[in-house]
Amino acid sequence: MFAPTVFVVSSRIALLGLLGCAACGKGEKPKAISPSEVKNPVKESELTTVVITPEAEKRLGIRTAVITSDNVRATREVGGEIQAVPGQAVTIVAPVQGTLRGGASLTAGQRVRQGQTLYSLVPLPPERDLLTLNQGTAQARTQLQVAQARLSRAEDLLADRAGSVRARDDARADVALAQRALADARARQGAMSGSTGGGQALPIKAPLSGVVQRVTVAPGSLVTTNTVLLELAALNKVWVRVPLFVGDLRRLSAGQTVTVRPLNGGGARQARPVEAPTIGGTAGTATADVFYEIDNTDEAFRPGERVVVDVALGTANATPGSAGATAATTRALTIPAAALLYDASGGQWVYVRTKPLQYTRQRVEVQRTVGDQVVISRGVPAGAEVVTDGAAELFGTEFGGSH
C-alpha cells in the first residue's frame, strides 16, 4: 500500500537534486572592475557660487541686468575678405629701361608718404644702339693711337731739328681731342651696361601715401621698360568683399551697414556699402559679391585679411537693395555683451544673482552678437539677473585672481 507514496517522494527528491546541480553548474559572473573611480563627485553648479559681503559688492561695483526675450533683427554671419580700394592700390613700374639707384631700405610692410623718392633710375640707350656704341669706342681708341703716334713722330723730328714746333703742338691737340672722344665713348658704353653712374637720373616717387605691399627688384638692377618695381596700397580706407547667397540680396536695404569683426575677436566696426557690381562670387556656390567700405585710418585691417561680417537682413523685396526693405525680426533671449565671460578653454559663462550677495556662474551658448547685445540659445532663463559691471572681478575672485 505504501509503495506509490515512497515513489512520489523519491521522484520529488530526485527532481530537486537535478535542479540544484543545474544551478551549481552555472556559477555567478564576477563583477566588472572599473579602471578608475571618482569618490564624492561634485556637481558643476556647486563649484560656481560666489558669496560676497555688502562691502565687497560695493567695492566691485556690481550691476545686474534682467534677461529678456526681445525682437532681434535677423542677421547672417558670413566670411569676408579685406581688399584695397580700387584706384588706391598702384603698381609702380619703370618708365624706361635703365639702372636702379637707391631703394635699399624698401621692404614689404614699410609705410611711405606721397612724393617720397623710392628709386632713382639712370636711363639706358636702346638695345639697338649697343653695337653702334661698341664700334664708336673702338674707333675712338684707334684714333687716339694714331694721334699718339703722330705726336711721337713730331717730337722726334723736332728733336732732330727736322720738324717744327707748330707740328708738334698740332699733334698734341689731336691727342687731347682723341682722348676726350674715347672717354665720352667709354662713358656711353658704361651707361649702357649700367656699370657707371653717369647720365641724368630720373626720380621715381610714391604717387600716394600707403604701405609697400611687395618689392620685386633690388637696387642696382638693370630693368627694362614697364618692369614692376613695387606695389603700393593706401590703407586709410579699405573694402571688404562679402560673398552673399543670391537669395539674400533681396533682403538687403539700400544704405544698410554691416558689422565687420576680425577673426581674433578684436574690436568690431561698421562698414557702409559702396557702389560696386554685385556680380562674381565663386562658381557653383550661388553667391554674389557685395562690397563695403571701412574707415581704416589706424590700419587695423590689411588687404587679404579674412574677417567675419554680420549682415542684417530684412524681408524679401522685389528689387535687391531697395530702400523699402522691412526689417525681419525673431524672438530671442539677449544679454548685454559685458556680461559674457570666457574661460581658458573658450567656454562662455555668465554670473547670475541667485540670492542677495550670492552669484552663480552658469554656462551659456551664444548664437550671435547684435550691436552691444548677445543672443543666447540656452543656458539661463528669461527673467534671470546677470552681472554686467563687475563680472570680470567676480571671475577673478572665484579663481583667486583678485582679493
Side-chain angles (χ1 to χ4, degrees):
M1 293 178 61
F2 299 98
T5 302
V6 174
F7 176 77
V8 173
V9 173
S10 300
S11 299
R12 289 178 178 176
I13 293 173
L15 181 60
L16 291 175
L18 291 173
L19 293 175
C21 291
C24 293
K26 292 181 179 179
E28 295 183 358
K29 293 183 179 180
K31 293 183 178 180
I33 300 176
S34 176
S36 62
E37 182 180 0
V38 179
K39 295 183 178 180
N40 302 322
V42 181
K43 295 181 179 180
E44 183 181 83
S45 60
E46 297 178 3
L47 289 174
T48 57
T49 299
V50 179
V51 179
I52 60 178
T53 63
E55 293 77 10
E57 185 179 53
K58 182 178 180 180
R59 178 170 55 85
L60 295 176
I62 293 178
R63 294 183 181 180
T64 61
V66 178
I67 297 179
T68 58
S69 179
D70 300 324
N71 286 325
V72 180
R73 185 164 186 176
T75 60
R76 186 84 70 221
E77 184 179 277
V78 295
E81 180 184 0
I82 300 296
Q83 296 181 347
V85 178
Q88 296 298 313
V90 296
T91 299
I92 300 177
V93 300
V96 295
Q97 66 177 355
T99 305
L100 286 178
R101 303 295 182 205
S105 61
L106 289 176
T107 57
Q110 179 179 345
R111 293 175 175 82
V112 298
R113 65 183 184 278
Q114 185 176 5
Q116 176 181 343
T117 300
L118 306 177
Y119 294 102
S120 294
L121 181 65
V122 180
L124 301 179
E127 293 183 4
R128 63 177 178 271
D129 295 340
L130 177 60
L131 181 60
T132 302
L133 289 174
N134 293 337
Q135 292 175 346
T137 302
Q139 183 178 358
R141 187 182 300 110
T142 301
Q143 290 176 349
L144 176 60
Q145 293 173 352
V146 172
Q148 289 174 339
R150 288 177 179 174
L151 176 60
S152 179
R153 287 196 299 271
E155 290 177 343
D156 291 342
L157 290 174
L158 182 61
D160 295 338
R161 297 182 181 274
S164 64
V165 175
R166 181 177 178 179
R168 183 200 61 184
D169 293 341
D170 291 342
R172 286 180 178 178
D174 292 339
V175 169
L177 291 175
Q179 289 176 340
R180 181 64 179 176
L182 180 59
D184 292 342
R186 287 175 174 174
R188 290 193 296 269
Q189 191 175 28
M192 181 62 189
S193 62
S195 60
T196 66
Q200 184 65 36
L202 299 177
I204 299 178
K205 299 183 178 182
L208 49 83
S209 298
V211 176
V212 177
Q213 296 294 104
R214 188 165 64 100
V215 179
T216 59
V217 294
S221 300
L222 190 64
V223 297
T224 59
T225 305
N226 294 329
T227 298
V228 176
L229 306 181
L230 57 82
E231 294 178 2
L232 185 64
L235 300 182
N236 58 327
K237 294 183 183 297
V238 293
W239 280 11
V240 54
R241 181 180 65 86
V242 182
L244 280 180
F245 174 60
V246 291
D248 290 337
L249 294 178
R250 299 182 181 276
R251 302 179 63 182
L252 293 178
S253 301
Q256 176 64 48
T257 61
V258 298
T259 302
V260 180
R261 294 181 284 117
L263 294 181
N264 61 358
R269 61 186 63 186
Q270 297 297 309
R272 59 183 179 276
V274 294
E275 293 294 335
T278 54
I279 58 176
T282 304
T285 60
T287 62
D289 292 338
V290 183
F291 294 86
Y292 296 86
E293 187 176 84
I294 306 173
D295 187 4
N296 191 45
T297 53
D298 58 350
E299 298 183 1
F301 296 97
R302 294 296 183 94
E305 178 181 353
R306 301 289 179 173
V307 293
V308 179
V309 183
D310 296 319
V311 182
L313 301 177
T315 56
N317 294 285
T319 304
S322 65
T326 304
T329 59
T330 56
R331 299 290 295 181
L333 294 178
T334 61
I335 62 173
L340 190 63
L341 298 170
Y342 294 87
D343 60 20
S345 301
Q348 299 160 328
W349 303 83
V350 295
Y351 278 100
V352 179
R353 175 182 282 173
T354 53
K355 294 179 182 179
L357 304 178
Q358 181 172 308
Y359 302 91
T360 301
R361 182 164 52 91
Q362 295 186 11
R363 190 185 298 273
V364 294
E365 184 174 326
V366 175
Q367 191 177 64
R368 66 180 187 271
T369 301
V370 181
D372 59 351
Q373 297 291 311
V374 176
V375 180
I376 58 175
S377 55
R378 60 180 178 177
V380 288
E385 290 186 64
V386 295
V387 178
T388 54
D389 296 352
E393 287 75 9
L394 283 176
F395 197 73
T397 300
E398 179 182 352
F399 293 98
S402 62
H403 300 281

